[in-house]
Amino acid sequence: MLDTSEGYTTADGRKIGGVVMEMKNITLRFGGVKAITDISFDIREGEIRAIIGPNGAGKSSMLNVMSGFYVPQEGEVWFHGKPRPPLKPYEVARQGIARTFQNIALFEGMSVLDNVMTGRLTQMKTGLLAQSIWKGRAEKEETENREIAEKVIDFLEIQAIRKTPVSRLPYGLKKRVELARALAAEPKLLLLDEPMAGMNVEEKEDMSRFILDVNDEFGTTIALIEHDMGVVMDLSDRVVVMDYGKKIGDGTPDEVRNNQEVIDAYLGVEHD
Amino acid sequence: MFYREAGDFHTTYTSDSQTFPIKFDRYRYYVILVIAFLVVPFIINDYWANAILLPFLIYAIAAIGLNILTGYCGQVSLGTGGFMAVGAYACYKLMTAFPDVSMFIHVILAGAITAVVGVLFGLPSLRIKGFYLAVATLAAQFFLLWLFNKVPWFYNYSASGQINAPEREVFGILITGASAPAWATYLFCLIFCFASAIVARNLTRGTVGRKWMAIRDMDIAAEIIGVNPLRAKLSAFAVSSFFVGISGALFFSIYLGAVEVGEAFSIQKSFLVLFMVIVGGLGSIFGSFAGAAFLVLLPVALKVLGVDMLGWPTDIVAHFQLVIVGALIIFFLIVEPHGLAQLWRLAKEKLRLWPFPH
């Protein structure tokens, strides 16, 4: 197995740094159902980390633990070398973790630009009074943050629809706008929940290119859940495999592909 | 033909995010302002002020307030009448306790007091949503009215239980009481209405407005991107109640002059303002004005038509009014649930291409 204790260099020559987030013996229960059982893994700076597994394996629950939506009964989430106390989701967002959802969670009544600008909310500090006067501080802050939002809009090639209400967009574009909103926050860690679910081959290729570009250009650390094996194997540097809430594999795509337990989980085992 | 944005380019983000990005809109807005501030005060008379302009301006402020809470932040409220009463009684207590302080300050302070009360009654919104929140605000409505009836301190122990606005001057001009000139009361309300609209617009186009709309559209996603739902909802209650309080203070001191709380600020008032917001358009400042104009003008127009032109008895016309207003509200909800503001937006989209739509 690849030794990752001090960081490592990927096959395509990118340097992967220290640990950003570490999950230590996470167990999550809903009443009597154990969604996650004693799982540990780490995410390192600059890498693309995939979490895969069959349906109901606990992948989305894992992502919800990482984004602070669920608090695990046992185990700790370490973020930037410190154990993270149980936080409200909006406090987690302020620490620099952004995410997208499996079922798109955009603000349907707002324009694309407004949606992307909501990604900047954690950075915008002017109070009610300055906002109601507008001229001066609020306007200056709005313009500065608009510039960053526009950079993201440019990057994801959605300039033409920036004033369109989100509710009028097709599915594939909505997914892209959601990614834009997450990126606008300039996150230290980006969590993507099935970014390619329900897309055709071309849209998948576009999205894969965007994910690689984001990682490459902004150096964003990315953790993603995905069902399309081809995509996962091509994109990710390391893969965690889950099945029935347990971790059954962890390593580079090649290692995981040849892991007997993983093959059993995906293809089934012959019973005799 | 008249309405187009071709050749209207924006080279900075500031100019792109202004309130009226299209030149034609901007000039029309200036023309309306000039007429409202410089022409109307010279031609206004008592009938126009009391029957149309004062109620329009005051209800527009209330509608802006409710629209911030319901249209922008998605929290349904049926307590508008109660909050208007808080503004009215706060204004009354301030006017009688500090006779020398300017009315401008009294009205703004009345708004601030209402904001505090609004936040208190907004606290349940953290736990309950939709219909259940509407019922909770309904409780606020009845509780506040009961309070102003039961505690004599609020109406200064007057024998009738009413509150009467004492005569007050601004810059040496009488603005409250029966002998106040129409143009002065009109201008006083217009200033508040104008300022309220500007402030509401500034709030809703910036960070605070985006937080409110994020909560309205999907509260879970809003929380994930860093919106504190507690603060966002309570700030919506505070700002909304502030405007509603101002409108209540003006309604009592400038428009009515004397108020009996159970009549002036009953549940009917809450529904009236809610209808204005719905008919005008949820989530639109222009819609608040359109809705207020619609529901203030409609009864007047029907009365002119029925009594003055057709010569019908007054009581029949009054009953017809109720029927027609009700039918029109239902008609609007079915045909255009997003209200007059949406009709206006669609008209503008058509006009943009007119007369060559292809």
Side-chain angles (χ1 to χ4, degrees):
Chain A
M1 185 159 169
L2 184 66
D3 177 34
T4 55
S5 53
E6 284 300 316
Y8 63 100
T9 311
T10 59
D12 55 344
R14 285 176 305 124
K15 288 260 186 290
I16 300 297
V19 174
V20 174
M21 183 182 262
E22 188 169 9
M23 317 297 282
K24 290 188 172 175
N25 307 97
I26 300 285
T27 297
L28 179 73
R29 275 186 296 266
F30 297 110
V33 181
K34 258 191 176 177
I36 301 174
T37 314
D38 194 28
I39 288 192
S40 308
F41 64 92
D42 61 0
I43 299 167
R44 291 175 166 274
E45 201 174 342
E47 77 178 342
I48 301 180
R49 190 80 148 114
I51 304 172
I52 62 170
N55 285 329
K59 309 181 294 292
S60 288
S61 300
M62 197 72 220
L63 213 65
N64 281 332
V65 170
M66 289 155 88
S67 65
F69 216 69
Y70 295 155
V71 178
Q73 276 81 13
E74 285 162 41
E76 280 176 333
V77 179
W78 284 52
F79 190 57
H80 283 297
K82 284 191 293 263
R84 186 176 76 188
L87 294 175
K88 294 263 164 51
Y90 62 84
E91 293 169 319
V92 174
R94 283 172 199 170
Q95 291 193 333
I97 298 178
R99 71 168 288 182
T100 65
F101 291 80
Q102 186 175 351
N103 314 313
I104 301 164
L106 284 169
F107 307 121
E108 296 274 330
M110 298 157 76
S111 69
V112 169
L113 178 64
D114 274 335
N115 266 280
V116 178
M117 284 294 282
T118 56
R120 301 293 309 156
L121 283 179
T122 50
Q123 267 81 14
M124 297 171 83
K125 302 273 184 254
T126 51
L128 263 183
L129 203 64
Q131 288 269 320
S132 54
I133 297 166
W134 190 256
K135 288 282 166 217
R137 272 202 301 145
E139 192 173 41
K140 184 159 160 280
E141 187 187 57
E142 175 88 4
T143 310
E144 284 166 2
N145 285 285
R146 172 90 185 263
E147 268 163 34
I148 296 167
E150 288 284 350
K151 254 180 222 154
V152 174
I153 288 175
D154 241 23
F155 186 78
L156 293 179
E157 297 163 18
I158 47 177
Q159 303 96 324
I161 53 163
R162 61 159 83 79
K163 295 271 170 83
T164 315
V166 163
S167 50
R168 285 194 202 164
L169 296 180
Y171 181 82
L173 278 179
K174 280 188 186 173
K175 279 268 186 195
R176 213 188 285 179
V177 174
E178 204 188 11
L179 179 62
R181 184 180 69 187
L183 278 182
E186 298 178 300
K188 297 192 186 86
L189 174 61
L190 178 61
L191 309 174
L192 305 174
D193 196 349
E194 302 208 18
M196 282 157 239
M199 287 185 168
N200 63 29
V201 176
E202 280 158 47
E203 286 171 329
K204 277 185 187 174
E205 281 173 356
D206 275 348
M207 190 52 106
S208 309
R209 183 165 57 83
F210 286 131
I211 291 173
L212 286 174
D213 281 354
V214 167
N215 176 259
D216 201 36
E217 247 176 71
F218 306 128
T220 312
T221 312
I222 299 173
L224 65 97
I225 293 177
E226 187 47 57
H227 269 299
D228 188 316
M229 277 306 128
V231 170
V232 169
M233 296 303 168
D234 283 350
L235 284 185
S236 48
D237 300 314
R238 287 191 298 154
V239 182
V240 179
V241 191
M242 291 174 70
D243 191 21
Y244 294 113
K246 294 194 180 71
K247 186 168 97 168
I248 57 172
D250 188 356
T252 63
D254 278 333
E255 289 168 353
V256 167
R257 214 189 319 241
N258 298 322
N259 182 332
Q260 190 56 46
E261 251 187 294
V262 176
I263 297 170
D264 290 349
Y266 268 90
L267 299 180
V269 199
E270 207 174 329
H271 297 280
D272 41 21
Chain B
M1 184 105 106
F2 305 109
Y3 186 82
R4 57 181 35 182
E5 50 187 328
D8 216 351
F9 299 116
H10 299 288
T11 49
T12 61
Y13 293 135
T14 323
S15 95
D16 188 45
S17 65
Q18 61 189 329
T19 304
F20 297 103
I22 298 172
K23 247 187 214 138
F24 183 82
D25 280 345
R26 201 151 61 237
Y27 291 137
R28 193 186 43 214
Y29 164 69
Y30 292 143
V31 168
I32 291 175
L33 278 189
V34 167
I35 293 175
F37 275 98
L38 298 179
V39 178
V40 174
F42 292 104
I43 56 172
I44 195 170
N45 58 28
D46 273 348
Y47 173 75
W48 273 85
N50 287 326
I52 294 167
L53 288 168
L54 285 188
F56 165 66
L57 292 173
I58 292 168
Y59 280 125
I61 299 175
I64 289 172
L66 185 62
N67 218 333
I68 283 178
L69 187 63
T70 306
Y72 284 95
C73 198
Q75 312 296 308
V76 185
S77 166
L78 291 176
T80 318
F83 293 128
M84 281 176 82
V86 175
Y89 276 78
C91 187
Y92 173 67
K93 290 301 286 185
L94 288 166
M95 280 168 85
T96 47
F98 307 100
D100 299 328
V101 179
S102 163
M103 268 301 282
F104 279 105
I105 293 173
H106 284 327
V107 172
I108 291 171
L109 277 180
I113 290 168
T114 316
V116 174
V117 177
V119 167
L120 275 181
F121 283 101
L123 284 172
S125 72
L126 307 171
R127 289 277 166 182
I128 52 181
K129 291 178 194 167
F131 288 125
Y132 304 95
L133 180 65
V135 172
T137 54
L138 200 59
Q141 162 82 32
F142 286 112
F143 171 75
L144 288 169
L145 256 56
W146 172 84
L147 188 72
F148 293 132
N149 254 330
K150 278 291 163 207
V151 182
W153 179 78
F154 285 114
Y155 47 86
N156 282 0
Y157 306 96
S158 77
S160 61
Q162 281 195 344
I163 54 173
N164 290 294
E167 295 198 335
R168 289 287 179 271
E169 292 178 347
V170 171
F171 307 124
I173 303 155
L174 199 63
I175 57 154
T176 62
S179 49
W183 64 269
T185 53
Y186 164 77
L187 266 186
F188 190 74
C189 290
L190 181 66
I191 289 168
F192 274 103
C193 187
F194 175 67
S196 302
I198 298 269
V199 168
R201 168 67 191 161
N202 286 344
L203 286 176
T204 50
R205 69 170 150 173
T207 322
V208 186
R210 286 196 199 100
K211 281 183 188 170
W212 292 339
M213 289 189 275
I215 291 281
R216 171 194 71 190
D217 285 347
M218 192 169 279
D219 49 356
I220 291 177
E223 211 176 337
I224 289 280
I225 60 163
V227 178
N228 181 343
L230 177 97
R231 294 187 57 175
K233 283 180 185 173
L234 289 188
S235 68
F237 267 97
V239 173
S240 161
S241 309
F242 178 73
F243 288 136
V244 172
I246 283 183
S247 91
L250 293 175
F251 196 72
F252 152 68
S253 63
I254 310 289
Y255 179 52
L256 289 182
V259 158
E260 205 279 306
V261 68
E263 278 187 16
F265 300 115
S266 65
I267 183 79
Q268 307 280 359
K269 198 111 300 175
S270 303
F271 282 125
L272 181 66
V273 179
L274 188 63
F275 290 154
M276 285 175 184
V277 173
I278 292 172
V279 169
L282 287 165
S284 156
I285 303 291
F286 168 76
S288 311
F289 282 98
F294 187 79
L295 282 173
V296 169
L297 282 180
L298 195 64
V300 177
L302 287 175
K303 186 172 161 292
V304 169
L305 183 77
V307 180
D308 303 344
M309 293 172 71
L310 296 175
W312 293 353
T314 323
D315 55 338
I316 290 191
V317 174
H319 289 138
F320 256 117
Q321 263 179 25
L322 292 176
V323 174
I324 293 175
V325 172
L328 273 174
I329 288 169
I330 294 172
F331 174 77
F332 255 107
L333 288 183
I334 294 170
V335 175
E336 189 46 87
H338 297 289
L340 292 167
Q342 180 68 11
L343 284 181
W344 179 237
R345 266 194 290 270
L346 291 176
K348 281 203 290 192
E349 263 178 42
K350 291 256 159 61
L351 276 177
R352 211 169 273 180
L353 302 173
W354 188 84
F356 305 113
H358 297 293

